[in-house]
Amino acid sequence: MGEENGSHKSARRKKGMNRRAKERDFGSGRDVFGKSSHGSGKHAKFLKGQDTKISKSPIIRKQVDPMTTKYFSDIANLFESNGVELEERSVICGNALEETIDKEYELATDYIISHILQSLLEGCDADHLCGFLRSCSRDFPLIAMDRSGSHVAETALRSIATHLQDEETYSAILETLTMICKVIVENPADLMYNCYGSHVLRRLLCLCKGVSLDSAEFQGTKSLTNVAERLNLKTSRANEHAHAQQNLGRGFPGLFKDLIAGILICTADDKTLLVDQFGSLVLQTVLKLLAGDDEELGQIIPILLGCNKETIAEGNTIEMTVGHEVKNLSIETSYSHLLEVILEVAPEYLYTDMFNKIFRNSLFEMSSHQCGSFVVQALISKARHQEQVVLIWEELGRKFKDLLEMGRSGVIASLIAASHRLHAHEHKCCQAIATAVCSADDPPACIVPRILFLDNYFCCQDPSSWKWPAGVKMHVMGSLILQAVFRCRNEYIQPFVASITSMEADHLMEAAKDSAGAHVIEAFLDSSASGKHKRKLILKLQGHYGELSMHSSGSFTLEKCVTASNVSLREDIVKELLVVRNELSRTKHGPHLLRKLDIHGYAYDPDQWRSRQASKQMAYNEFRAIFGSSRTKSSGDDSFPTDTDPPKPAFANIKQMRKEIDYRLSSTAQSLVKSDFKQHEQRAEHHSYKGNDLKKRKGPGEFSSTHLASKATEKGAKNKRPFNSFDNSDKKRRRMDDPAKVSKKKPKK
């Protein structure tokens, strides 16, 4: 492409004169909301309701000359031939980068040469890497906004991250990033609106903060981890940012604050960045990187909610007037994602203000909208106090059926999880979900099946005639609701226990083979329900244990069944798995399941297997009786019952438990003694004995049984493996005791 209206650099400089700000110190970490000498600048406005921005004059790129193209092609061919050593490769990369001076933009935005540049940036040293970035610092935003150039920019930032641990290069990297950040904050909107530039800017923010550039949390994708945290299925990620920062280094706090200052000034002037897809992603990354910094978040979040800087300076965090505007914007997909992150990272005092001044008395209205419902879920999952759960219940508690009919089951799941976490209205939530799917005229047995097929049930024209839909995939959110219910106390979940235990065997099998249904069964077997009810469900699967074990999801359910079973029922399960042992061993999950249930041990010696299971069960019951929590002791019927459910033996102290363990250890040691003694006697009949090892025996060809017994007992007590008679280190011990393998060297006199 030829040159048009002058070079791209002159065009860029001319454009920059209209928006250049006064020089200011970078890396100083000035207050984000202090008076700034930043020029106002004209940002590209995002027209609401349109997918395109106001057109800007295109940047004309010079065509790469043929000699330069051939030069970089030769380098690429040289690297592909693998004929360059590692030290030479670094030198070649550095020399090649020197040839890019004053041509960085043209080369980085060339589709073919950009790939070669990435290899050069990955293989060069820190000096040449920083030199390349300093040389193209004025063009860095243009490179970052190009389809090919953005990959070059990201590769450069990723390569810089590998040198952060080196103190000698830290100052050079700081100087380089300062030049780049100084150019970016002149008008960060260009990068924020651009799909490629937004990604590069997010990586630059992560680098300046000192966290991993490739962390999935900062890629803008909404993972299932958020759902797991909201439903108490996973612990919060409070310390992940600090851990990632320790891995990369100290970062660049001054540059990080200056970048945020430029982004916020731009956002305050151009509110459409809040509803833009890529601008919202940048702001979400800023909030996640500031998680835990309540002081900074207390000033940034009100600006993102639309509050005036004057009001913030006076100490009023959120104005009552912004609530209506925030609720209107929450139906925008990008802004709803931003609101979710705001609620996740907001300090407690700010969350309380948002709850009272923005969301209160509007929860059902917001839940009715698809995007707004996710904001409500984030609000509920981050509730701090019981009083807040009570207020949420007052608005949504009597609307469960309406929410389910609208497909807003996630709101209900979040409320049940929050009520369980804060112990507020757990019983009412369980009653409400049961009433929503089962009227007074319906049998209670239909509760769990209908929740497993929420969409199918509520889409039915005549719900009263609804039947189990064979072959239909179960509802994921319905499964999560049931999992949340089964974490509640036993007296609250009785209708659900009665429903799941009255399901037909075929329906249970279908649920166990479905991943969503399998999680529900596992949650029930882990719940505080009585062992009697759990065994009732397990017995319905009898005759299908082998079939169930062949499914990946069913194998986990089978493990839970074994844990909740008594010894005789456990043996029935093992017998069925023994029939399919060969087929099961060829599956991906089969070997683990065979080891877990000790199928091979049962096949070798069933009596010894029963003895081990009984000992494990007794040790478990005694351990729980001594160290178990108050909830475990008061839960009524235990989930690890014996055959006849006798009263658990109550021991006065731990010594009696130790006696049982010592007894098992001694019995194992005796078996080791017998096997070792026989083997050594057989070997002694065919070998002659020399050396110092003769002193350990009674005579030639004869071992001391007392010596062997003491060695075997010593070994058994050391390893403390009463139920495993084989040890890898036993071979080494036998080689040392075997006189045929003792060194033939004569002892020194």
Side-chain angles (χ1 to χ4, degrees), residues 398-410:
R398 295 172 180 82
K399 304 285 187 179
F400 273 23
K401 187 173 183 180
D402 297 331
L403 291 171
L404 291 175
E405 290 176 347
M406 291 186 294
R408 307 294 178 249
S409 52

Side-chain angles (χ1 to χ4, degrees), residues 178-198:
T178 300
M179 295 176 65
I180 293 174
C181 294
K182 193 173 182 180
V183 175
I184 288 176
V185 297
E186 290 179 359
N187 190 8
D190 287 344
L191 289 172
M192 294 175 70
Y193 276 126
N194 185 271
C195 61
Y196 307 115
S198 170

Side-chain angles (χ1 to χ4, degrees), residues 73 110-117 148:
S73 298
D110 184 271
Y111 180 76
I112 297 176
I113 300 180
S114 63
H115 290 81
I116 305 173
L117 268 183
S148 300

Side-chain angles (χ1 to χ4, degrees), residues 34 129 159 185 201 203 259 342 361 400 412 435 524 542 550 563 568 593 603 670:
L129 177 62
S159 298
V185 297
L201 182 55
R203 285 189 173 271
L259 273 178
I342 288 174
N361 300 323
F400 273 23
I412 296 176
T435 305
F524 166 71
Q542 197 166 24
M550 301 302 292
T563 303
S568 60
L593 189 62
Q670 290 174 6

Side-chain angles (χ1 to χ4, degrees), residues 194-335:
N194 185 271
C195 61
Y196 307 115
S198 170
H199 202 275
V200 175
L201 182 55
R202 280 179 275 153
R203 285 189 173 271
L204 180 60
L205 285 165
C206 291
L207 177 63
C208 291
K209 179 64 177 178
V211 304
S212 175
L213 300 177
D214 297 313
S215 174
E217 186 178 358
F218 304 110
Q219 298 304 311
T221 56
K222 195 172 181 180
S223 65
L224 294 176
T225 307
N226 294 334
V227 179
E229 289 180 1
R230 290 178 183 179
L231 302 181
N232 303 336
L233 300 176
K234 185 178 183 295
T235 55
S236 179
R237 299 167 292 177
N239 299 323
E240 280 193 5
H241 304 286
H243 178 68
Q245 188 170 356
Q246 291 174 0
N247 290 339
L248 272 188
R250 54 183 174 178
F252 306 92
L255 293 180
F256 180 67
K257 289 188 176 182
D258 283 328
L259 273 178
I260 294 178
I263 290 171
L264 288 178
I265 291 172
C266 179
T267 304
D269 295 338
D270 187 3
K271 297 292 185 183
T272 54
L273 280 169
L274 299 172
V275 296
D276 180 74
Q277 176 184 355
F278 306 110
S280 174
L281 288 173
V282 173
L283 296 173
Q284 292 174 47
T285 301
V286 169
L287 292 171
K288 291 175 182 178
L289 290 171
L290 289 173
D293 191 345
D294 291 352
E295 183 178 354
E296 288 292 332
L297 290 171
Q299 299 185 31
I300 292 174
I301 290 177
I303 286 185
L304 299 181
L305 295 175
C307 299
N308 297 324
K309 295 181 182 179
E310 294 77 11
T311 306
I312 299 173
E314 293 174 1
N316 299 323
T317 53
I318 298 177
E319 306 169 5
M320 294 293 295
T321 55
V322 305
H324 183 69
E325 182 180 357
V326 169
K327 285 181 284 189
N328 288 339
L329 287 176
S330 66
I331 64 175
E332 297 283 347
T333 303
S334 299
Y335 192 72

